[in-house]
Amino acid sequence: MSKSQITFNVELRERVGSGGSRAARREGFVPGVLYGGGEDPVAITLKRNEVLKAIETGHFLSSTATLVHKGTKQLVIPQAIQMHPVSDQPMHVDLFRVSRDQKIKVEVQVHFTGEEVSPGLKKGGTLNVVRHTVELLVPAGNIPESLEADVSTLEIGDNVKISDITLPGDAEPTITDRDFTIATIAGRTATADTTTEEGEEAEGEEAAAETEAEAESED
C-alpha cells in the first residue's frame, strides 16, 4: 500500500493558453489540467510548494493524490509533469480523475532485499537488474508503494521472476503471457575467461620468442 498522502489544493484557472500559464507561474502556482472520469477537462492551478513536496516523495507518477477545491475532494493520479530544462522547476501538471476501485495501469518500483546474505553475491556474482519497475493493473486506491524482490537465497545463475514477488491480491502485471524475469545473479562470463586465457597464452608465446631471439644473438 502506498504510504504517501499527497494533497493538492487547487483553484480553477480562468485564463487558459500560454499567457494564462505564464501568469500562474509568476504568482507562484503551477498550471495544470484535470481530465478523465467522463467529465470535461478543467484548467487548474496548483500550489508550487505542494507539487515540489509531491515530487520529493519519489513516486509522484505512481501514487494517487487527493485534489481539494473549495472543500470538495477528488481522487486523482498524476499523468505527466513538465519540468523547466534549466531551473528544474515544475512547469505543468496533468491530473486524471479516478475512483478508488477503478483499475489503472501504473509503474511500481522494485526494491531488492537480502543482497548482503545472497550466496551468489558472496561468491563474487553481481545483481543484474532486468526491470527496475513493473507495470501493474491495480485499483487506484490500492497501489503498492513498491514491490519486494528477495535475493537472499540465490546462487550464481539463479533469477527472480515476477511469480516470485508477492503482489496485492487485487493487482496483476500487465504482461500476462510469460513469467518474466526481474533480476539475475550473474557470474564471470565465459567470454571474459576465454579472453584471459588467450591473453596469457599470447604473453607466453611472446616471452618464448624473446628468449629464442636472445639465444640466437648470443650465438
Side-chain angles (χ1 to χ4, degrees):
M1 299 286 292
S2 177
K3 298 179 181 179
S4 64
Q5 298 295 326
I6 300 174
T7 300
F8 296 126
N9 292 280
V10 305
E11 297 293 339
L12 299 183
R13 181 160 48 97
E14 297 182 359
R15 289 184 61 189
V16 295
S18 57
S21 296
R22 285 195 297 268
R25 295 186 195 103
R26 284 196 299 269
E27 295 170 4
F29 296 97
V30 178
V33 174
L34 173 66
Y35 63 101
E39 301 181 36
D40 293 334
V42 177
I44 58 175
T45 56
L46 303 86
K47 296 180 179 179
R48 181 178 291 131
N49 65 321
E50 291 181 349
V51 175
L52 291 173
K53 183 178 179 180
I55 294 172
E56 289 172 358
T57 64
H59 37 77
F60 176 71
L61 296 177
S62 60
S63 297
T64 55
T66 300
L67 186 151
V68 182
H69 176 248
K70 295 183 177 179
T72 301
K73 297 181 179 180
Q74 169 68 57
L75 188 67
V76 300
I77 186 163
Q79 289 287 289
I81 182 168
Q82 178 185 350
M83 307 294 290
H84 192 280
V86 178
S87 66
D88 206 30
Q89 290 293 305
M91 299 288 289
H92 190 276
V93 174
D94 287 338
L95 303 174
F96 190 84
R97 303 180 185 93
V98 294
S99 62
R100 292 190 63 83
D101 297 330
Q102 178 183 348
K103 283 201 168 185
I104 58 175
K105 293 180 181 180
V106 61
E107 293 276 350
V108 180
Q109 189 171 18
V110 180
H111 287 170
F112 295 90
T113 63
E115 294 179 66
E116 66 282 356
V117 296
S118 167
L121 295 179
K122 282 187 173 183
K123 293 174 183 176
T126 58
L127 180 63
N128 178 31
V129 180
V130 179
R131 294 177 182 271
H132 291 276
T133 62
V134 173
E135 186 179 62
L136 298 180
L137 185 63
V138 60
N142 197 29
I143 301 173
E145 184 173 14
S146 63
L147 301 178
E148 185 174 296
D150 183 13
V151 300
S152 62
T153 62
L154 300 190
E155 294 279 359
I156 291 176
D158 290 343
N159 55 47
V160 180
K161 300 280 192 179
I162 185 61
S163 60
D164 299 318
I165 295 180
T166 301
L167 302 177
D170 46 9
E172 60 180 336
T174 57
I175 299 175
T176 58
D177 62 344
R178 63 187 184 278
D179 189 14
F180 55 88
T181 300
I182 304 298
T184 63
I185 304 296
R188 293 180 63 189
T189 64
T191 301
D193 292 340
T194 301
T195 301
T196 301
E197 292 174 359
E198 290 177 349
E200 292 175 349
E201 182 178 345
E203 289 178 0
E205 291 177 351
E206 290 178 3
E210 289 177 358
T211 303
E212 183 177 347
E214 289 175 358
E216 290 178 353
S217 62
E218 291 177 358
D219 292 343

